[in-house]
Amino acid sequence: MELRQINYFIAVAEELHFGRAAERCHIAQPPLSQQVKRLEEELGVTLLERTSRRVALTPEGKEFLKRCKDVRDRLNEAVICIQDMAKGLEGQLRVGFIGPASLSKLPQAIRSFRERNPNIRLDFSAQSTTEQLPLLRGDRLDIAFVRLFGHDTSGLNSLLFLREPYVLAVPEGHPFTERDSLDLKDLEGEPLVFFQPMNQPALYRSLIGAFHKAGFMPNIVQEANTEQSIIALVATGMGCALVPASSVVVNRGGVVFRPLTGDLPQWEITALWKKKNQSVILQKFLDVAREFREVH
C-alpha cells in the first residue's frame, strides 16, 4: 500500500466522482482508477460501488475513509512538527545547572527564551558540576551551567556566563559589619563556614592556598554542601563565609555582606554543550544566554 493510493482513494471518496478526483490529484482518470482498484485488491475489500451513473462508498469504504484521513492528518502534523523542529520553532531543551546559577541572571535568561519560544519545552535539572558532565556527554543534557575548576572539558564548547568576586557573609552584630570592606588577612583566627571539599576539590585546595599565601590557615568550624546552606549557617552566628557576590540578592535576615580583597580566584559559571550538538534550539538559547551573561 502506497501513500499516493491512499490520497487517490480519499479524493475519490470525497468527490464521489473519478473525473473530479483525477483533476484534484493532477493525474489522468485511468491511472487513478487503476490505483484505487489495486488498493481494493490488496485489501481484499470493496471500498467503492461503481455504476455508470454514480460512485458510492460501501460501509467498509466509509470506515476506511475515516481512518485514511486520520493517517493523512497525522502525517501532515508530523511533517509540520519536523519542519518546525528544524527551524527551532518546536522541540525540547534539557538544561542542567548548579544551585548558585539560580542567583545569577540565568532565571531571567530562561524567562526571556520562553517568551520568545513558547512552543519549546524546557526540562531542568539542578545538580553539581561533577554530576552534570557525564549527563552532558551521554546526551541526557543539552546544555549545562557549571563551575569549572580543573574539570575535563574535552569535546565540549563553552561560554563564560558569569564571573564575579567573592564577598564575605558576616553574622549580624559582628564587628566586621562596621567596616566597609575587608581583606583576606583580616580573617586570621576567625571562625569560618566553608563548602565541603568533595564537591569541588581543586577549588577547595585553591582557596586554602590563598589563605596560606596570606600567612595563615583558615579556622574552618563547619562545612556545608550549598551556598544557601552556608549562608543559613552564617545567620546562626556560627561564623563568616566566602560566598559569590550574587549571594547578596538572597534576602535572608541575620546576614550582612561585605566586599573582600585578597589573592582569591574569581567565582565563575560556565555554560557547556557538546561540540557535535548543532541543534537550532540550542543555538537560540545560547543567543539569549549571551544577552544576560555577566563577566566583570
Side-chain angles (χ1 to χ4, degrees):
M1 187 184 303
E2 299 179 10
L3 182 60
R4 63 173 178 164
Q5 291 176 313
I6 292 176
N7 286 329
Y8 293 160
F9 168 71
I10 291 174
V12 174
E14 290 182 339
E15 299 291 343
L16 295 178
H17 191 282
F18 278 90
R20 290 195 296 270
E23 291 178 7
R24 173 172 155 181
C25 295
H26 306 290
I27 186 176
Q29 182 175 329
L32 180 139
S33 300
Q34 291 170 9
Q35 290 296 330
V36 173
K37 185 65 177 174
R38 287 176 185 172
L39 178 62
E40 289 180 307
E41 290 172 354
E42 184 175 343
L43 293 173
V45 174
T46 300
L47 302 174
L48 298 164
E49 294 178 347
R50 306 162 177 84
T51 68
S52 58
R53 294 185 177 182
R54 63 191 289 269
V55 176
L57 287 165
T58 64
E60 294 82 4
K62 290 179 181 179
E63 180 63 26
F64 193 60
L65 172 62
K66 177 182 174 182
R67 307 254 177 178
C68 285
K69 290 171 73 173
D70 183 57
V71 169
R72 180 195 62 187
D73 292 344
R74 287 177 179 271
L75 180 60
N76 288 338
E77 289 174 3
V79 170
I80 293 171
C81 176
I82 295 301
Q83 290 174 339
D84 284 348
M85 286 183 67
K87 297 173 185 175
L89 301 176
E90 187 171 313
Q92 175 190 19
L93 187 72
R94 299 160 299 175
V95 182
F97 62 95
I98 56 174
S102 62
L103 302 177
S104 70
K105 288 189 176 180
L106 180 59
Q108 293 97 309
I110 290 171
R111 179 172 181 175
S112 178
F113 178 83
R114 294 184 68 178
E115 289 172 350
R116 301 180 203 182
N117 304 276
N119 293 326
I120 295 176
R121 189 178 82 233
L122 294 175
D123 291 337
F124 301 103
S125 176
Q127 292 170 305
S128 70
T129 297
T130 304
E131 291 170 325
Q132 287 186 70
L133 289 176
L135 296 178
L136 192 62
R137 288 195 165 93
D139 293 322
R140 285 177 285 173
L141 284 177
D142 297 302
I143 187 168
F145 288 82
V146 300
R147 184 162 195 207
L148 296 175
F149 215 92
H151 295 87
D152 176 19
T153 59
S154 57
L156 303 175
N157 284 326
S158 65
L159 170 70
L160 182 59
F161 183 72
L162 171 68
R163 177 190 287 143
E164 62 182 3
Y166 279 97
V167 297
L168 190 68
V170 182
E172 236 176 31
H174 191 285
F176 283 167
T177 61
E178 303 298 324
R179 298 174 57 175
D180 293 332
S181 66
L182 294 146
D183 187 82
L184 190 62
K185 293 180 180 179
D186 296 324
L187 303 184
E188 184 173 3
E190 191 68 31
L192 296 175
V193 180
F194 235 67
F195 65 90
Q196 294 175 340
M198 67 184 71
N199 292 341
Q200 295 273 12
L203 175 61
Y204 187 91
R205 291 192 297 269
S206 177
L207 287 175
I208 296 299
F211 282 98
H212 182 71
K213 288 179 183 178
F216 66 99
M217 292 302 290
N219 177 26
I220 300 173
V221 297
Q222 182 65 47
E223 293 177 343
N225 60 356
T226 67
E227 272 68 32
Q228 292 86 343
S229 300
I230 289 172
I231 293 173
L233 290 171
V234 172
T236 68
M238 184 167 289
C240 299
L242 278 67
V243 295
S246 54
S247 300
V248 175
V249 303
V250 179
N251 187 18
R252 174 180 287 279
V255 180
V256 177
F257 298 95
R258 289 291 179 264
L260 182 65
T261 59
D263 187 13
L264 290 165
Q266 293 280 295
W267 171 268
E268 294 182 348
I269 293 177
T270 302
L272 297 177
W273 65 98
K274 289 181 74 171
K275 289 182 178 179
K276 295 180 180 179
N277 191 341
Q278 300 299 316
S279 163
V280 177
I281 293 175
L282 174 60
Q283 295 307 314
K284 283 188 171 186
F285 186 82
L286 286 168
D287 288 341
V288 176
R290 289 185 180 96
E291 295 176 20
F292 287 86
R293 64 195 297 254
E294 301 173 275
V295 180
H296 303 295

